[in-house]
Amino acid sequence: MFVRMIAKAFLRQWKKMLMIAFTIALGSSLATAMLSVMMDVEDKMNQELKAYGANITVVPKSTSVISDLYDVGDENISGNYLKEDELGKIKTIFWAFNIVDYTPFISTQVSLDSGNTATLTGTWFNHHMDLPTGEALDAGIASLRSWWTVDGEWLDEQSDGSSECAMVGSSLAKKEGLSAGDMIHVTGSKEEKNLKVVGVFDSGGEEDDLIYVTVDTAQALGGLEGKIDSIEVSALTTPDNELAQKAARDPSSLSVSQYETWYCTAYVSSICYQIEEVVTDSVASAVRQVADSEGQILNKTELLMILITILSMVGAALGICNLVTASVMERSQEIGLMKAIGAHNPAITGLVLTEVLCTALIGGVIGFYAGIGFAQIIGHSVFSASIQIRPMVVPVVAVLVGLVTLIGSIPAIRMLLNLRPTEVLHGR
Amino acid sequence: MSLLELKNVSKVYGNLHALDHVSLKVEKGEWLAIMGPSGSGKSTMMNIIGALDKATEGEILLDGEDISRKNARALTDIRRDKIGLIFQQFHLVSYLTAVENVMLAQYYHSLPDEKEALEALERVGLADRAKHYPSQLSGGEQQRVCVARALINYPEIILADEPTGNLDEANEEIVVELFRKLHLEGTTLIVVTHNPEVAEVAQRTIVLRNGRVDHEMINENFTGKIKHITLQ
Ligand SMILES: Nc1ncnc2c1ncn2[C@@H]1O[C@H](COP(=O)(O)OP(=O)(O)OP(=O)(O)O)[C@@H](O)[C@H]1O
Ligand SMILES: [Mg+2]
């Protein structure tokens, strides 16, 4: 009987129910899209923010002191190096998951056949790492320098003969008359090599004077086996607060519990500290502006999306409120009659709520799928990547839609409870 | 003990006494008509007897139980278990068929039973219209569905507020005939009417004026016999 009544009430009020379903579909599609984007956004933001380059640089201790004192820039004049075999440890620190990318650099001077000298730097391009956690990471400048425009191709470390390849900066290439596909002969302090120029890159900066090769190639040419000049790390960080600033000045000034909190929060200073713990005689320092803004952009984007979600839900609740109230008003005689023949308030409330919740379910499901579509549109237009829908979105949207429907129905339910049969049954 | 007894019942709206210290006794199986000019308090009285509304003062004893101080929930139970209501405007649920409308009362009472609901429709002569919707039924037929709905849970008392107010003479006669049948079966009936013809078939008529019982008439020639009208 209950089912029959619901079904028939539905059929009779299909227009209103359609409107309710539509309202809910709209709300749930927005919520789905925003939540999906939000939950997926950290990864997307990472990819996006990697374009700003590294936010932590790691150099040997003495180099750090000299460059602080004399501001000599990038050149390694101290003769101090980091150890190449310690690179993997960076992915084992407490905040390993927040380390989204990193790459080592080792530079040496080479002379070219034209008689000019140039700086040749070994680095990772798309260095494949299988992590102890079971994840895999392709780290290197292919992603850390994603804004480069490359004429030709990126050097692919996975391909055979990658150690015979090089990428040349656009200024140097112009000076030497090189273009993608040419061969170049370089003489280092230890060896000489013929390298194939696979790509000419334009970084828009000082790097345009460099030759980039794999780490092995650079080490062999300069006789620097196992040595690394510096490491650039791109890490996802929490914006600094007072505690983080205090810790950045001197971690030993913290109390034990402050230290715990700090160590276990992804502040850029605690990540730096943890990197220093695993890389011998190193100094890790934040490129502060970028690190802070990353966290802030993330927070602001999430805030915006939460706001949109809340607004869409409030909008849906208001819409539902109107529609359900109208529906109850239209049926006031019927409801009065049910009360008159002995229906208790919960029975009638249950009937109306079941109708509305069924409608909400239909609308919610339609909206959910539409929302997945929206999320993809947002993903492609804002992040140029598809959004992966997290399973978490389903229960969250379901709960939101349920709550909004119930809250939106409150005025109608109150009206229904206060409705007195004598007022509607005698046609006054 | 009377089935229903009103003791000094008043209903006051602001300073208007819709019912003014009314006392009344109705015996089990009695057929009572209530008449009176418009605004005299007939519907007000029916609502109070029918547990749809509360009196401002006074006692209402139904089956020896004072219902005047009960809360809304208890009053709903009383309506469901003891009262059958019939209205001038029928109030059938438009998207349910005749038999479903009868079953609705069963649903809120206990369990819907289609067979029993069909039997009730048969008693009012509408067995073949069971699957029709209210909009496909004439006014008289709709009111007979309402009678079936009022009967279905075997109420102590059936209250009809101007049941024939929207009906033509032929249908009025059919409904009155149904009442006579119910009376013969022992049902207690209270019928509000403007129509003397409907009142004069009852055993007793009370006339209200300005919220008071103005006078009472006993039908001397009351026979209770069924006139020979074939339903439909
Ligand atoms: N909810 C209310 N609020 C205020 N006054 C009311 C209310 N209900 C009824 N009244 C007043 O109480 C008086 C009695 O009304 P009631 O409906 O009982 O009259 P009635 O005898 O049924 O009239 P009719 O024959 O026109 O149906 C009327 O004056 C009416 O205006
Ligand atoms: Mg009336």
Side-chain angles (χ1 to χ4, degrees):
Chain A
M1 186 74 196
F2 188 69
V3 176
R4 221 196 281 194
M5 276 163 70
I6 301 244
K8 290 200 167 182
F10 253 131
L11 286 181
R12 202 192 52 141
Q13 300 202 68
W14 66 271
K15 271 185 192 157
K16 208 155 268 147
M17 292 297 162
L18 201 71
M19 293 281 285
I20 294 178
F22 183 72
T23 308
I24 292 178
L26 215 63
S28 96
S29 66
L30 270 174
T32 307
M34 288 303 134
L35 288 172
S36 301
V37 172
M38 206 163 77
M39 289 187 186
D40 207 39
V41 78
E42 292 204 5
D43 286 356
K44 294 287 164 290
M45 291 290 279
N46 291 344
Q47 287 162 13
E48 194 74 348
L49 288 170
K50 271 187 209 168
Y52 298 115
N55 53 4
I56 295 173
T57 58
V58 187
V59 294
K61 209 171 237 164
S62 43
T63 310
S64 156
V65 174
I66 290 169
S67 67
D68 276 359
L69 287 177
Y70 303 110
D71 192 22
V72 291
D74 284 340
E75 261 135 283
N76 190 344
I77 55 164
S78 69
N80 281 293
Y81 295 98
L82 300 169
K83 299 195 184 94
E84 187 188 359
D85 53 16
E86 285 180 342
L87 281 173
K89 291 186 182 171
I90 289 179
K91 258 312 216 184
T92 64
I93 65 167
F94 185 80
W95 283 110
F97 189 70
N98 283 38
I99 307 269
V100 289
D101 209 346
Y102 66 106
T103 191
F105 293 102
I106 174 72
S107 296
T108 185
Q109 296 296 317
V110 292
S111 46
L112 308 174
D113 288 354
S114 60
N116 294 326
T117 56
T119 307
L120 176 142
T121 304
T123 190
W124 289 347
F125 295 85
N126 54 345
H127 186 76
H128 186 80
M129 283 182 284
D130 287 311
L131 304 173
T133 55
E135 289 172 279
L137 177 70
D138 281 331
I141 57 170
S143 44
L144 276 168
R145 299 283 190 273
S146 57
W147 71 89
W148 281 5
T149 50
V150 175
D151 199 5
E153 280 171 3
W154 278 94
L155 198 158
D156 182 4
E157 280 185 57
Q158 260 83 257
S159 70
D160 291 339
S162 62
S163 59
E164 257 72 60
C165 294
M167 288 183 78
V168 179
S170 55
S171 311
L172 183 68
K174 202 167 164 196
K175 207 160 66 183
E176 298 294 325
L178 292 168
S179 58
D182 292 351
M183 296 301 289
I184 177 175
H185 183 252
V186 295
T187 313
S189 56
K190 187 96 179 292
E191 279 181 17
E192 54 187 284
K193 246 182 167 64
N194 271 318
L195 298 172
K196 183 183 180 213
V197 179
V198 290
V200 173
F201 62 85
D202 186 0
S203 70
E206 293 173 7
E207 290 176 313
D208 288 350
D209 286 322
L210 300 181
I211 302 171
Y212 273 114
V213 293
T214 62
V215 174
D216 291 348
T217 310
Q219 287 170 339
L221 282 166
L224 299 163
E225 280 76 8
K227 291 174 179 168
I228 292 298
D229 278 333
S230 64
I231 309 167
E232 280 189 11
V233 181
S234 174
L236 199 64
T237 61
T238 308
D240 274 2
N241 60 6
E242 247 172 77
L243 175 68
Q245 278 156 17
K246 190 175 167 197
R249 284 193 294 274
D250 183 10
S252 58
S253 68
L254 301 177
S255 72
V256 175
S257 69
Q258 278 180 322
Y259 179 82
E260 293 271 285
T261 317
W262 170 72
Y263 197 87
C264 298
T265 310
Y267 298 123
V268 68
S269 56
S270 61
I271 294 178
C272 284
Y273 183 79
Q274 290 165 15
I275 291 174
E276 288 171 7
E277 285 180 329
V278 295
V279 182
T280 321
D281 285 336
S282 68
V283 173
S285 48
V287 185
R288 191 159 296 277
Q289 256 80 30
V290 179
D292 272 359
S293 63
E294 273 189 34
Q296 274 168 15
I297 289 171
L298 247 179
N299 283 356
K300 280 183 183 158
T301 315
E302 289 192 355
L303 190 71
L304 184 71
M305 296 195 174
I306 289 172
L307 267 175
I308 293 176
T309 308
I310 292 174
L311 283 180
S312 68
M313 286 290 129
V314 168
L318 287 176
I320 291 167
C321 175
N322 265 321
L323 290 163
V324 181
T325 308
S327 152
V328 165
M329 238 144 68
E330 196 175 89
R331 296 161 69 183
S332 60
Q333 289 216 340
E334 177 189 322
I335 290 166
L337 183 268
M338 288 177 183
K339 286 189 171 193
I341 62 174
H344 284 293
N345 281 331
I348 302 175
T349 310
L351 183 76
V352 172
L353 276 187
T354 310
E355 276 176 37
V356 176
L357 285 175
C358 284
T359 315
L361 185 72
I362 297 169
V365 169
I366 295 172
F368 178 76
Y369 284 104
I372 291 177
F374 279 158
Q376 298 313 333
I377 294 173
I378 294 173
H380 281 286
S381 57
V382 180
F383 301 105
S384 321
S386 57
I387 301 282
Q388 189 196 343
I389 305 299
R390 306 291 162 108
M392 256 307 277
V393 175
V394 181
V396 172
V397 169
V399 167
L400 278 179
V401 166
L403 271 182
V404 159
T405 311
L406 290 180
I407 292 173
S409 308
I410 287 176
I413 299 296
R414 285 180 53 147
M415 199 167 85
L416 182 158
L417 294 179
N418 291 330
L419 186 140
R420 285 151 42 91
T422 51
E423 279 162 15
V424 289
L425 293 181
H426 290 289
R428 249 194 276 278
Chain B
M1 188 182 64
S2 310
L3 177 67
L4 173 75
E5 184 170 0
L6 305 195
K7 289 185 185 168
N8 265 321
V9 172
S10 297
K11 179 75 184 180
V12 184
Y13 294 113
N15 53 9
L16 174 93
H17 282 66
L19 279 185
D20 194 0
H21 297 95
V22 172
S23 294
L24 174 75
K25 277 189 184 182
V26 180
E27 302 303 324
K28 195 167 176 62
E30 197 179 345
W31 180 357
L32 177 74
I34 301 177
M35 291 191 74
S38 186
S40 57
K42 302 183 298 292
S43 296
T44 306
M45 187 157 140
M46 289 296 258
N47 288 340
I48 288 173
I49 298 172
L52 283 165
D53 207 351
K54 282 178 140 186
T56 316
E57 70 179 276
E59 269 179 40
I60 301 106
L61 298 172
L62 181 62
D63 243 354
E65 193 185 7
D66 184 8
I67 65 168
S68 58
R69 303 282 168 264
K70 302 236 172 201
N71 63 22
R73 206 186 150 75
L75 289 181
T76 303
D77 284 338
I78 288 165
R79 288 200 295 276
R80 184 189 66 191
D81 297 335
K82 304 197 167 174
I83 314 268
L85 292 165
I86 298 168
F87 306 95
Q88 180 175 352
Q89 288 96 348
F90 319 140
H91 294 303
L92 292 171
V93 176
S94 61
Y95 53 86
L96 297 179
T97 60
V99 66
E100 284 167 345
N101 265 287
V102 177
M103 286 161 71
L104 189 65
Q106 290 179 312
Y107 173 69
Y108 289 121
H109 181 263
S110 43
L111 272 180
D113 176 347
E114 188 153 10
K115 197 166 143 268
E116 209 182 323
L118 283 170
E119 277 166 22
L121 282 179
E122 199 165 342
R123 281 172 75 189
V124 300
L126 284 178
D128 57 336
R129 299 293 166 92
K131 296 275 179 260
H132 286 55
Y133 287 91
S135 57
Q136 300 167 324
L137 297 172
S138 76
E141 286 165 340
Q142 287 185 53
Q143 194 59 299
R144 279 145 70 192
V145 175
C146 293
V147 173
R149 181 177 65 190
L151 291 175
I152 191 74
N153 295 319
Y154 305 101
E156 301 272 1
I157 188 164
I158 286 187
L159 303 177
D161 194 346
E162 307 220 23
T164 59
N166 279 355
L167 301 182
D168 63 10
E169 233 166 283
N171 279 304
E172 178 184 297
E173 200 136 350
I174 293 172
V175 170
V176 166
E177 222 27 62
L178 269 174
F179 286 164
R180 193 171 276 144
K181 216 167 107 184
L182 292 177
H183 171 72
L184 275 180
E185 289 166 8
T187 313
T188 312
L189 275 169
I190 303 183
V191 181
V192 166
T193 184
H194 272 125
N195 188 339
E197 283 174 42
V198 175
E200 80 195 4
V201 291
Q203 278 171 302
R204 182 162 68 116
T205 303
I206 61 167
V207 179
L208 294 181
R209 199 173 298 276
N210 297 326
R212 290 168 181 274
V213 180
D214 191 72
H215 61 278
E216 204 178 304
M217 301 177 289
I218 307 285
N219 184 356
E220 304 287 349
N221 343 318
F222 181 80
T223 58
K225 273 207 196 109
I226 297 189
K227 283 197 227 157
H228 282 280
I229 291 183
T230 36
L231 293 175
Q232 285 175 349

